[in-house]
Amino acid sequence: MAEEIEIDSLQEVHPQAMEALLQGRLEDPFALLGPHDEGGASVVRTFQPGARAVDVLDAEGRLVESLVNLNQSGLFVSGAPTLATGARYLLRITWPTADGGDTVQLTEDPYSFGLLLGELDIHLLAEGRHRQLGRCLGALPTNVDGVAGTRFAVWAPNARRVSVVGEFNHWDGRRHPMRKRVEAGVWELFVPRIGPGARYQYEIVGADGAVLPLKADPVARATEPPPSTVSVVASDTPLIWSDAAWMAQRAQRQATDAPISIYEVHAGSWLRVLEEDGRSLNWHELGDRLIPYVLRMGFTHIEFLPIMEHPFGGSWGYQPLGMFAPSARFGTPAGFAAFVDRCHAAGIGVILDWVPAHFPSDAHGLARFDGSALYEHQDPREGYHQDWNTLIYNLGRNEVRSFLIASALEWLEHFHVDGLRVDAVASMLYRDYSRKEGEWIPNVHGGRENLESVSFLRELNQVIAERCPGVVTIAEESTAWPGVSAPVEEGGLGFHYKWNMGWMHDTLRYMEKDPIHRQHHHNDMTFGLVYAYSEKFVLPISHDEVVHGKGSLINKMPGDAHQRLANLRAYFGFMWTHPGKKLLFMGCEFGEHAEWNHDGSPGWHLLDHGGHKGLQRLVRDLNRLYAHEPALHRKDADPAGFAWVIGDDSQNSVFAYLRRGDAGDAPLLVVLNMTPVPREGYRIGVPAEEGRTVAEWEELLNTDADVYGGTGRGNGGAVRVEAHASHGMAQSLVLTLPPLSVLILKPRAAPGQA
């Protein structure tokens, strides 16, 4: 409860109230400051410590009265008030300058304005169902009663006092204490005559009376670049979009039957400017360089490691504190929006990594934001993440769920982002994730499932589906939790796709083996097809595979330099022909040698070497083939799209399978030879097409072609069909299987047939 302010007379304030004001403990500033009716006239009180004089002017700028500096305290009060009750007025404040002169500030009184947040806002905030927090909380440039300024609002229900501080008040928390809207635990204040670009933070006094470290705004829509922790009033200029055509086609472009090939990028290190101390590119420069590269390489999407504001660059963005603001490292929010618009103009989708599982414990952030465990759990068995030394969101609290869902919508609705890859879903689903016995608290049923997280994820995906049609959500989830990509109404979590971590681990384990030993690990390549359709999958070769001592992708491959490149080409051929959408981390497309270092850039100089240039060309051609051939993407989530022809030739480490599209789409035959031994005269059965005579199968792609840096062995571009039964089919091909290679073949109709 705020203490009652007692006024002994026009010029006398109760000592307790005066002490609270001067010490920055005033919990109800509107009870003391601003205009107060006194027999038909307004008594004006304003706290301006250090001011030489304060005058009250009427709306036309005429002097009404000069206020009295009460006991030289900085609290200026009316002497003989003549301002009519309810009349608008200005404050003319005279400040001393360092050279002994004066400077005059003219402003409206922040404490002359009424309630700011509307009843609907308060109701939705109290219920934890406000979907537009970025336009409700935070700093919003606006006009109130015709006066331009910024409305500040922040959720801090357990605070005794909250003030907004900045250069506009010399970072003095006594100057702009805020009004508490008790119904929602939200503090608000309108500060006239400050706007976009103003720097600010919140000074908060906790329930115990302790002043907390200055806090960044949890809903800030702009920030200063780290290491600064200051929030910035964002521009209110509407973003300009020219992507209506893309938005209309987006759902079709991101559907399960569409080709989706994602280039995963760390914006800060994709291409550093070495001539300028290795600085990162800004959004405009990324638009000039990254978009053409991705387009040339045939990727359909860019996925960024988190670009939300984060204090420590070494976290790669996975410990964000600015869930509503793109990092100022790369420019302004408008610059990011322009980048997304340019991507859409080029036909490229944008996916962002988004982190609702945990947040860092930095004192300026969300940790004990109002002096209590507000965003996090009180009990460390629920609220502390041992793996990452971070705090876990309390998803059982409606306001926290609302905060995170509104964050997701900010990126999807305001910035037109096409999808979110939700980080660390596995850690959210289980209460005992990475915890020993006694280090976790069971759910209400005594189980290990985190029911609050499950409910949150379902609500998140339902809200996104309702408000953002065509957007995709992708789960980084590595367990056997059922129905991650199943609809919520069918009992699933509601994601559109799930990262196939099992496929990635199994197949990389196989590829790391010396080819002579691969016959004993054949199952690592085939096992993924056992569950390939249990979820809608993305096959991820992500940043996680090239950090923390794991080395680079190419250096996981066995053999000499030539064989490592051949192995990697074959692996990419397998990946692009396997059911599931594709994701590849930057640098892997040309065989980066070094483990990824966020302070450097991939080794683009390697493209001067023919083998690395050839690998890059292969990825480009795989992307183009994947997009052009319906059999490679149309039935990614349908078992009818895949059939083994040879899955059991472990002795030769040979695999063969068919990929199929819709009726009328030509099938493709994919053959893998995962040893450095070429196979001559290898017979493989192929299907006959009803009503259509196929004379030969065309070799669409050979990963061992000389243009990719291979040996150039192959089948001369095509192979004739033989009426020789094999593998349960009436026809067959006799192929040359190049060493460490993947062949992709397509039936070619006989002359005169369509």
Side-chain angles (χ1 to χ4, degrees), residues 456-512:
F456 163 73
L457 292 171
R458 287 173 172 164
E459 182 183 6
L460 169 74
N461 285 318
Q462 284 180 308
V463 170
I464 289 175
E466 292 167 2
R467 296 179 63 111
C468 309
V471 159
V472 295
T473 58
I474 304 168
E476 185 205 16
E477 207 287 312
S478 57
T479 75
W481 188 282
V484 171
S485 60
V488 171
E489 55 270 22
E490 296 177 12
L493 295 183
F495 288 94
H496 298 86
Y497 299 101
K498 169 181 171 173
W499 271 18
N500 195 336
M501 311 291 279
W503 174 90
M504 178 270 297
H505 286 301
D506 290 347
T507 57
L508 282 181
R509 182 170 59 241
Y510 178 91
M511 294 304 301
E512 290 172 3

Coordinates of all heavy atoms in Angstrom, one line a residue, residues 456-512:
F456 N 2.1 -23.9 -22.5 CA 2.5 -22.7 -23.2 C 2.8 -22.9 -24.7 O 2.4 -22.1 -25.5 CB 3.8 -22.2 -22.5 CG 4.6 -21.2 -23.3 CD1 4.1 -19.9 -23.5 CD2 5.8 -21.6 -23.9 CE1 4.9 -19.0 -24.2 CE2 6.5 -20.7 -24.7 CZ 6.0 -19.4 -24.9
L457 N 3.5 -24.0 -25.0 CA 3.9 -24.3 -26.4 C 2.7 -24.4 -27.2 O 2.6 -24.0 -28.4 CB 4.8 -25.5 -26.5 CG 6.2 -25.3 -25.9 CD1 7.0 -26.6 -25.8 CD2 7.0 -24.2 -26.7
R458 N 1.7 -25.1 -26.7 CA 0.4 -25.3 -27.5 C -0.3 -24.0 -27.7 O -0.8 -23.7 -28.8 CB -0.5 -26.3 -26.7 CG 0.0 -27.7 -26.8 CD -0.8 -28.7 -26.0 NE -0.4 -30.1 -26.2 CZ -0.7 -31.1 -25.4 NH1 -1.4 -30.9 -24.3 NH2 -0.4 -32.3 -25.8
E459 N -0.3 -23.2 -26.6 CA -1.0 -21.9 -26.7 C -0.2 -21.0 -27.7 O -0.8 -20.3 -28.6 CB -1.0 -21.2 -25.4 CG -1.7 -19.8 -25.4 CD -1.7 -19.1 -24.1 OE1 -1.1 -19.6 -23.1 OE2 -2.3 -18.0 -24.0
L460 N 1.1 -21.0 -27.7 CA 1.9 -20.2 -28.6 C 1.6 -20.6 -30.0 O 1.3 -19.7 -30.9 CB 3.4 -20.5 -28.3 CG 4.4 -20.0 -29.3 CD1 4.5 -18.5 -29.3 CD2 5.8 -20.7 -29.1
N461 N 1.6 -21.9 -30.3 CA 1.4 -22.3 -31.7 C 0.0 -22.1 -32.2 O -0.3 -21.8 -33.3 CB 1.8 -23.8 -31.8 CG 3.3 -24.0 -31.9 OD1 4.0 -23.2 -32.5 ND2 3.8 -25.0 -31.2
Q462 N -1.0 -22.2 -31.3 CA -2.4 -21.9 -31.6 C -2.5 -20.4 -31.9 O -3.2 -20.0 -32.9 CB -3.3 -22.3 -30.5 CG -3.6 -23.8 -30.4 CD -4.5 -24.1 -29.3 OE1 -4.3 -23.7 -28.1 NE2 -5.6 -24.9 -29.6
V463 N -2.0 -19.5 -31.1 CA -2.1 -18.1 -31.3 C -1.4 -17.7 -32.7 O -2.0 -16.9 -33.4 CB -1.5 -17.3 -30.2 CG1 -1.4 -15.8 -30.5 CG2 -2.3 -17.5 -28.9
I464 N -0.2 -18.3 -32.9 CA 0.5 -18.0 -34.2 C -0.4 -18.4 -35.4 O -0.5 -17.7 -36.4 CB 1.9 -18.6 -34.2 CG1 2.8 -17.8 -33.2 CG2 2.5 -18.6 -35.6 CD1 4.1 -18.4 -33.0
A465 N -0.9 -19.6 -35.3 CA -1.7 -20.1 -36.4 C -2.9 -19.3 -36.7 O -3.3 -19.0 -37.8 CB -2.2 -21.6 -36.1
E466 N -3.6 -18.7 -35.6 CA -4.7 -17.9 -35.8 C -4.4 -16.5 -36.3 O -5.1 -16.0 -37.2 CB -5.4 -17.7 -34.4 CG -6.1 -19.0 -33.9 CD -6.5 -18.9 -32.4 OE1 -6.3 -17.8 -31.8 OE2 -7.0 -19.9 -31.9
R467 N -3.3 -15.9 -35.8 CA -3.0 -14.6 -36.2 C -2.0 -14.4 -37.3 O -2.0 -13.3 -38.0 CB -2.4 -13.8 -35.0 CG -3.3 -13.7 -33.8 CD -2.6 -13.0 -32.6 NE -2.3 -11.7 -32.9 CZ -2.8 -10.6 -32.4 NH1 -3.8 -10.7 -31.5 NH2 -2.4 -9.4 -32.7
C468 N -1.2 -15.4 -37.6 CA -0.2 -15.3 -38.6 C -0.2 -16.5 -39.6 O 0.7 -17.3 -39.6 CB 1.2 -15.3 -38.0 SG 1.3 -14.1 -36.6
P469 N -1.3 -16.6 -40.4 CA -1.4 -17.7 -41.3 C -0.2 -17.7 -42.3 O 0.3 -16.7 -42.8 CB -2.7 -17.4 -42.1 CG -3.0 -16.0 -41.9 CD -2.4 -15.6 -40.5
G470 N 0.3 -18.9 -42.5 CA 1.5 -19.1 -43.4 C 2.8 -19.1 -42.7 O 3.8 -19.5 -43.3
V471 N 2.9 -18.6 -41.4 CA 4.1 -18.7 -40.7 C 4.4 -20.1 -40.2 O 3.4 -20.9 -40.0 CB 4.0 -17.7 -39.4 CG1 5.0 -18.1 -38.3 CG2 4.2 -16.3 -39.9
V472 N 5.6 -20.5 -40.1 CA 6.0 -21.8 -39.6 C 6.7 -21.7 -38.2 O 7.4 -20.7 -38.0 CB 6.9 -22.6 -40.5 CG1 6.1 -22.9 -41.8 CG2 8.2 -21.9 -40.9
T473 N 6.5 -22.6 -37.4 CA 7.3 -22.7 -36.1 C 8.0 -24.1 -36.2 O 7.4 -25.1 -36.6 CB 6.4 -22.6 -34.9 OG1 5.4 -23.7 -34.9 CG2 5.8 -21.3 -34.8
I474 N 9.3 -24.1 -35.8 CA 10.1 -25.2 -35.8 C 10.7 -25.5 -34.5 O 11.2 -24.6 -33.8 CB 11.3 -25.0 -36.9 CG1 10.7 -24.6 -38.2 CG2 12.2 -26.2 -37.0 CD1 11.7 -24.1 -39.2
A475 N 10.6 -26.7 -34.0 CA 11.1 -27.1 -32.7 C 12.5 -27.7 -32.7 O 12.7 -28.6 -33.5 CB 10.1 -28.0 -32.0
E476 N 13.4 -27.2 -31.9 CA 14.6 -27.9 -31.7 C 14.4 -28.8 -30.5 O 14.3 -28.4 -29.3 CB 15.8 -26.9 -31.3 CG 17.1 -27.7 -31.1 CD 18.1 -27.0 -30.2 OE1 17.7 -26.1 -29.5 OE2 19.3 -27.3 -30.3
E477 N 14.1 -30.1 -30.8 CA 13.7 -31.0 -29.8 C 14.3 -32.4 -30.2 O 14.2 -32.8 -31.3 CB 12.1 -31.1 -29.9 CG 11.5 -31.6 -28.6 CD 11.7 -33.0 -28.3 OE1 11.5 -33.9 -29.1 OE2 12.1 -33.3 -27.1
S478 N 15.0 -32.9 -29.2 CA 15.8 -34.1 -29.4 C 15.4 -35.4 -28.8 O 16.1 -36.4 -28.8 CB 17.3 -33.8 -28.9 OG 17.3 -33.4 -27.6
T479 N 14.2 -35.4 -28.2 CA 13.7 -36.5 -27.4 C 12.6 -37.3 -28.2 O 12.3 -36.9 -29.3 CB 13.2 -36.2 -26.0 OG1 11.9 -35.6 -26.2 CG2 14.1 -35.2 -25.3
A480 N 12.1 -38.3 -27.6 CA 11.0 -39.0 -28.2 C 9.6 -38.5 -27.9 O 8.6 -39.3 -28.0 CB 11.1 -40.5 -27.9
W481 N 9.5 -37.3 -27.4 CA 8.2 -36.7 -27.1 C 7.3 -36.8 -28.3 O 7.7 -36.4 -29.4 CB 8.4 -35.2 -26.7 CG 7.1 -34.6 -26.2 CD1 6.0 -34.2 -27.0 CD2 6.7 -34.4 -24.8 NE1 5.0 -33.7 -26.1 CE2 5.5 -33.9 -24.8 CE3 7.4 -34.6 -23.6 CZ2 4.8 -33.5 -23.7 CZ3 6.8 -34.3 -22.5 CH2 5.5 -33.7 -22.5
P482 N 6.1 -37.4 -28.2 CA 5.3 -37.7 -29.3 C 4.5 -36.5 -29.8 O 4.1 -35.6 -29.0 CB 4.3 -38.7 -28.8 CG 4.2 -38.5 -27.3 CD 5.6 -38.0 -26.9
G483 N 4.3 -36.3 -31.1 CA 3.5 -35.3 -31.6 C 4.0 -33.9 -31.6 O 3.2 -33.0 -31.5
V484 N 5.3 -33.7 -31.6 CA 5.8 -32.3 -31.6 C 5.3 -31.5 -32.8 O 4.9 -30.4 -32.6 CB 7.4 -32.4 -31.6 CG1 7.9 -30.9 -31.8 CG2 7.9 -33.0 -30.4
S485 N 5.2 -32.1 -33.9 CA 4.7 -31.4 -35.1 C 3.2 -31.8 -35.5 O 2.8 -31.6 -36.6 CB 5.6 -31.7 -36.3 OG 5.7 -33.1 -36.6
A486 N 2.5 -32.4 -34.5 CA 1.1 -32.7 -34.7 C 0.3 -31.6 -34.3 O 0.7 -30.8 -33.4 CB 0.7 -34.0 -33.9
P487 N -0.9 -31.4 -34.9 CA -1.8 -30.3 -34.5 C -2.2 -30.4 -33.0 O -2.3 -31.5 -32.4 CB -3.0 -30.4 -35.4 CG -2.5 -31.2 -36.6 CD -1.5 -32.1 -36.0
V488 N -2.4 -29.2 -32.4 CA -2.8 -29.2 -31.0 C -4.1 -29.9 -30.8 O -4.3 -30.7 -29.8 CB -2.9 -27.7 -30.5 CG1 -3.6 -27.7 -29.1 CG2 -1.6 -27.1 -30.5
E489 N -5.1 -29.8 -31.7 CA -6.4 -30.4 -31.6 C -6.3 -32.0 -31.7 O -7.2 -32.7 -31.3 CB -7.3 -29.9 -32.6 CG -6.9 -30.0 -34.1 CD -6.1 -28.8 -34.6 OE1 -5.6 -28.1 -33.7 OE2 -6.1 -28.6 -35.8
E490 N -5.1 -32.5 -32.1 CA -4.9 -33.9 -32.1 C -4.0 -34.3 -31.0 O -3.5 -35.5 -31.0 CB -4.3 -34.3 -33.5 CG -5.2 -34.1 -34.7 CD -4.5 -34.4 -36.0 OE1 -3.5 -35.1 -36.0 OE2 -5.1 -34.0 -37.1
G491 N -3.8 -33.4 -30.0 CA -2.9 -33.8 -28.9 C -1.5 -33.5 -29.0 O -0.7 -33.8 -28.1
G492 N -1.1 -32.8 -30.2 CA 0.3 -32.5 -30.4 C 0.7 -31.1 -29.8 O -0.1 -30.5 -29.2
L493 N 1.9 -30.8 -30.0 CA 2.4 -29.5 -29.6 C 2.1 -28.4 -30.5 O 2.2 -27.2 -30.2 CB 3.9 -29.5 -29.3 CG 4.4 -30.4 -28.1 CD1 5.9 -30.3 -27.9 CD2 3.7 -30.1 -26.8
G494 N 1.8 -28.7 -31.8 CA 1.4 -27.7 -32.8 C 2.5 -27.1 -33.6 O 2.2 -26.2 -34.4
F495 N 3.7 -27.6 -33.5 CA 4.8 -27.1 -34.4 C 4.6 -27.6 -35.8 O 3.9 -28.6 -36.0 CB 6.2 -27.5 -33.9 CG 6.6 -26.8 -32.6 CD1 6.4 -27.4 -31.4 CD2 7.3 -25.6 -32.7 CE1 6.9 -26.8 -30.2 CE2 7.7 -25.0 -31.5 CZ 7.5 -25.6 -30.3
H496 N 5.1 -26.8 -36.8 CA 5.0 -27.3 -38.2 C 6.1 -28.3 -38.5 O 5.9 -29.2 -39.3 CB 5.1 -26.0 -39.1 CG 4.0 -25.1 -38.9 ND1 4.0 -24.1 -38.0 CD2 2.8 -25.0 -39.5 CE1 2.9 -23.4 -38.0 NE2 2.1 -23.9 -38.9
Y497 N 7.3 -28.1 -37.9 CA 8.4 -28.9 -38.2 C 9.2 -29.2 -36.9 O 9.2 -28.4 -36.0 CB 9.4 -28.4 -39.3 CG 8.7 -28.1 -40.6 CD1 8.2 -26.9 -41.0 CD2 8.5 -29.2 -41.5 CE1 7.6 -26.7 -42.2 CE2 7.9 -29.0 -42.7 CZ 7.4 -27.8 -43.1 OH 6.8 -27.6 -44.3
K498 N 10.0 -30.2 -36.9 CA 10.9 -30.5 -35.8 C 12.3 -30.9 -36.4 O 12.4 -31.5 -37.4 CB 10.3 -31.8 -35.0 CG 11.3 -32.4 -34.0 CD 10.7 -33.6 -33.3 CE 11.8 -34.3 -32.5 NZ 11.2 -35.4 -31.7
W499 N 13.3 -30.4 -35.7 CA 14.7 -30.8 -36.1 C 14.8 -32.3 -35.9 O 14.5 -32.7 -34.8 CB 15.7 -30.0 -35.3 CG 16.1 -28.6 -35.9 CD1 15.4 -28.0 -36.9 CD2 17.2 -27.9 -35.6 NE1 16.1 -26.8 -37.2 CE2 17.2 -26.7 -36.4 CE3 18.3 -28.1 -34.7 CZ2 18.2 -25.8 -36.3 CZ3 19.3 -27.1 -34.6 CH2 19.2 -26.0 -35.5
N500 N 15.4 -32.9 -36.9 CA 15.6 -34.4 -36.7 C 17.1 -34.6 -36.2 O 18.0 -34.9 -37.0 CB 15.5 -35.1 -38.1 CG 15.3 -36.6 -37.9 OD1 15.8 -37.2 -36.9 ND2 14.7 -37.2 -38.9
M501 N 17.2 -34.5 -34.9 CA 18.5 -34.6 -34.3 C 19.0 -36.0 -34.3 O 20.3 -36.2 -34.5 CB 18.4 -34.1 -32.8 CG 17.7 -32.8 -32.6 SD 18.7 -31.4 -33.3 CE 19.8 -31.2 -31.9
G502 N 18.1 -37.0 -34.2 CA 18.6 -38.4 -34.3 C 19.2 -38.7 -35.7 O 20.2 -39.3 -35.7
W503 N 18.6 -38.2 -36.7 CA 19.1 -38.4 -38.1 C 20.5 -37.8 -38.2 O 21.4 -38.5 -38.7 CB 18.2 -37.8 -39.1 CG 18.8 -37.8 -40.5 CD1 18.6 -38.8 -41.4 CD2 19.6 -36.8 -41.1 NE1 19.3 -38.5 -42.6 CE2 19.9 -37.3 -42.4 CE3 20.1 -35.6 -40.7 CZ2 20.7 -36.6 -43.3 CZ3 20.9 -34.9 -41.6 CH2 21.2 -35.4 -42.8
M504 N 20.6 -36.6 -37.7 CA 21.9 -35.9 -37.8 C 23.0 -36.7 -37.0 O 24.1 -36.9 -37.5 CB 21.8 -34.5 -37.2 CG 23.0 -33.7 -37.2 SD 23.9 -33.9 -35.6 CE 22.8 -33.2 -34.5
H505 N 22.7 -37.1 -35.8 CA 23.7 -37.8 -35.0 C 24.1 -39.2 -35.6 O 25.3 -39.5 -35.7 CB 23.2 -38.0 -33.5 CG 23.2 -36.8 -32.7 ND1 24.3 -36.1 -32.4 CD2 22.2 -36.2 -32.1 CE1 24.0 -35.0 -31.7 NE2 22.7 -35.1 -31.4
D506 N 23.1 -39.9 -36.1 CA 23.4 -41.3 -36.6 C 24.2 -41.2 -37.9 O 25.2 -41.9 -38.1 CB 22.0 -42.0 -36.9 CG 21.3 -42.4 -35.7 OD1 21.9 -42.3 -34.6 OD2 20.1 -42.7 -35.8
T507 N 23.8 -40.3 -38.8 CA 24.4 -40.2 -40.1 C 25.8 -39.6 -40.0 O 26.8 -40.1 -40.7 CB 23.6 -39.5 -41.1 OG1 23.3 -38.1 -40.6 CG2 22.3 -40.2 -41.3
L508 N 26.0 -38.6 -39.1 CA 27.4 -38.1 -39.0 C 28.3 -39.2 -38.3 O 29.5 -39.3 -38.6 CB 27.4 -36.8 -38.1 CG 26.9 -35.6 -38.9 CD1 27.0 -34.4 -37.9 CD2 27.8 -35.3 -40.1
R509 N 27.7 -39.9 -37.4 CA 28.5 -41.0 -36.8 C 29.0 -42.0 -37.9 O 30.1 -42.5 -37.9 CB 27.7 -41.7 -35.7 CG 28.5 -42.8 -35.0 CD 27.7 -43.3 -33.8 NE 26.4 -43.9 -34.1 CZ 25.3 -43.4 -33.7 NH1 25.3 -42.3 -32.9 NH2 24.1 -43.9 -34.1
Y510 N 28.1 -42.3 -38.8 CA 28.5 -43.2 -39.9 C 29.6 -42.5 -40.8 O 30.6 -43.2 -41.2 CB 27.2 -43.5 -40.8 CG 27.5 -44.3 -42.0 CD1 27.3 -45.7 -41.9 CD2 27.8 -43.8 -43.2 CE1 27.5 -46.5 -43.0 CE2 28.0 -44.5 -44.3 CZ 27.9 -45.9 -44.2 OH 28.1 -46.7 -45.4
M511 N 29.4 -41.3 -41.1 CA 30.3 -40.6 -42.0 C 31.7 -40.5 -41.4 O 32.7 -40.4 -42.1 CB 29.8 -39.2 -42.5 CG 28.5 -39.3 -43.3 SD 28.6 -40.3 -44.8 CE 29.9 -39.4 -45.7
E512 N 31.8 -40.4 -40.1 CA 33.1 -40.3 -39.5 C 33.9 -41.5 -39.5 O 35.1 -41.5 -39.3 CB 32.9 -39.8 -38.0 CG 32.4 -38.4 -37.9 CD 32.0 -38.0 -36.5 OE1 32.1 -38.8 -35.6 OE2 31.5 -36.9 -36.3

